């Protein structure tokens, strides 16, 4: 009788642990699919916003008047400020010289090659990370230049993306750069328990993308250990 009770308890524990792991794995797979779709939508939104402001600037023809372009464009962006998510806009002429720059975080560089449409920029001074988009833009008599927009990838963005009970982190190359828990949450990704399932995906979907989104999903089994 005692042996039967022990065997039953052992079997029940195995069933419980298996159910717990299966529930965590299934939950993590669902979250992975959700965030793949969510990141693709964010990329599209940022790209559309970049093209939208490029069209507005070209339509205004402010860049065709170098003597007044800076004043006029700063006024334009003051009015349009609530509609944009990028923190910097950079306009370069054909030689790569800065024609106009709007910035909240300081002087940034162009991290992209001539034919690249998007990429990453890590500011060496602050350590902040930005998603950068590049578009051709008409400068008038000087021909076509480049317009770049910089969208921050920080704790605030991951906090907005995190679902209840889910923690997110971003790893750029081999360094953790932001989490949905803020700076204090960096150490939480060094340890992992049996009740937490993790999944990782490249931000843009490309395997060579240096930015990885880490999804940490604590999941409870469908029944308690007592049950």
């Amino acid at each position: 009788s005692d042996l039967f009770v022990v065997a039953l308890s052992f079997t029940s524990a195995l069933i419980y642990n298996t159910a717990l792991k299966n529930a965590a794995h299934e939950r993590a797979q669902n979250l992975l699919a959700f965030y793949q779709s969510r990141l693709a939508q964010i990329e599209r939104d940022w790209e559309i916003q970049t093209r939208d402001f490029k069209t507005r600037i070209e339509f205004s023809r402010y860049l065709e008047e170098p003597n007044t372009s800076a004043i006029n464009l700063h006024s334009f962006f003051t009015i349009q400020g609530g509609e944009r998510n990028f923190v910097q806009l950079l306009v370069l002429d054909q030689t790569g010289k800065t024609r106009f720059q709007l910035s909240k975080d300081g002087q940034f560089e162009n991290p992209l090659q001539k034919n690249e449409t998007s990429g990453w920029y890590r500011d060496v001074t602050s350590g902040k990370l930005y998603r950068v988009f590049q578009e051709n833009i008409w400068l008038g008599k000087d021909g076509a230049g480049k317009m770049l927009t910089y969208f921050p990838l920080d704790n605030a963005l991951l906090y907005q993306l995190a679902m209840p009970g889910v923690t997110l982190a971003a790893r750029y190359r081999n360094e953790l750069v932001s989490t949905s828990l803020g700076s204090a949450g960096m150490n939480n990704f060094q340890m992992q328990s049996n009740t937490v399932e993790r999944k990782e995906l490249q931000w843009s979907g490309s395997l060579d993308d240096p930015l990885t989104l880490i999804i940490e999903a604590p999941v409870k089994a469908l029944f308690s250990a007592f049950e």
Side-chain angles (χ1 to χ4, degrees), residues 46-47 49-51 53-54 86-90 112 119 130-135 147-151:
W46 286 348
E47 186 176 8
Q49 188 172 126
T50 299
R51 292 177 179 175
F53 273 90
K54 170 214 165 180
F86 53 85
V87 296
Q88 167 160 303
L89 181 138
L90 184 64
L112 304 182
Y130 302 86
R131 186 66 169 156
V132 184
F133 291 84
Q134 181 171 249
E135 290 280 339
M147 189 191 87
L148 297 99
T149 51
Y150 296 68
F151 297 84

Side-chain angles (χ1 to χ4, degrees), residues 169-178 200 210-214:
R171 185 178 64 234
Y172 182 67
R173 304 195 187 281
N174 293 319
E175 183 180 355
L176 208 62
V177 292
S178 56
E200 299 185 1
L211 195 286
T212 302
L213 182 70
I214 305 171

Side-chain angles (χ1 to χ4, degrees), residues 185-203:
M186 291 291 186
N187 293 331
N188 292 349
F189 284 85
Q190 306 305 317
M191 301 294 293
Q192 184 174 354
S193 70
N194 292 331
T195 59
V196 173
E197 186 85 7
R198 280 188 189 174
K199 291 293 180 181
E200 299 185 1
L201 60 90
Q202 305 312 114
W203 182 274

Side-chain angles (χ1 to χ4, degrees), residues 94 110-118 134-136 144-146:
Q94 291 181 339
N110 176 11
L112 304 182
Q113 299 299 318
K114 182 177 181 180
N115 296 322
E116 287 184 312
T117 58
S118 64
Q134 181 171 249
E135 290 280 339
N136 293 324
K146 295 289 184 182

Side-chain angles (χ1 to χ4, degrees), residues 24 27 34 45 48 61 67 76 94-95 110 127 132 137 139 146 176 178 186 200 213-214 223-224:
R27 169 72 166 163
F34 170 80
D45 290 345
I48 289 172
R61 305 184 68 174
N67 294 332
F76 168 79
Q94 291 181 339
T95 67
N110 176 11
V132 184
I137 191 168
L139 303 177
K146 295 289 184 182
L176 208 62
S178 56
M186 291 291 186
E200 299 185 1
L213 182 70
I214 305 171
F223 49 87
S224 68

Side-chain angles (χ1 to χ4, degrees), residues 53-97:
F53 273 90
K54 170 214 165 180
T55 301
R56 296 191 200 185
I57 293 172
E58 286 182 328
F59 181 78
S60 72
R61 305 184 68 174
Y62 290 146
L63 288 170
E64 298 181 25
E65 301 294 336
N67 294 332
T68 59
S69 62
I71 294 176
N72 289 333
L73 282 171
H74 275 294
S75 299
F76 168 79
F77 279 107
T78 298
I79 297 172
Q80 305 292 334
E83 298 183 24
R84 60 184 171 87
N85 299 113
F86 53 85
V87 296
Q88 167 160 303
L89 181 138
L90 184 64
V91 178
L92 308 173
D93 63 19
Q94 291 181 339
T95 67
K97 182 180 179 181

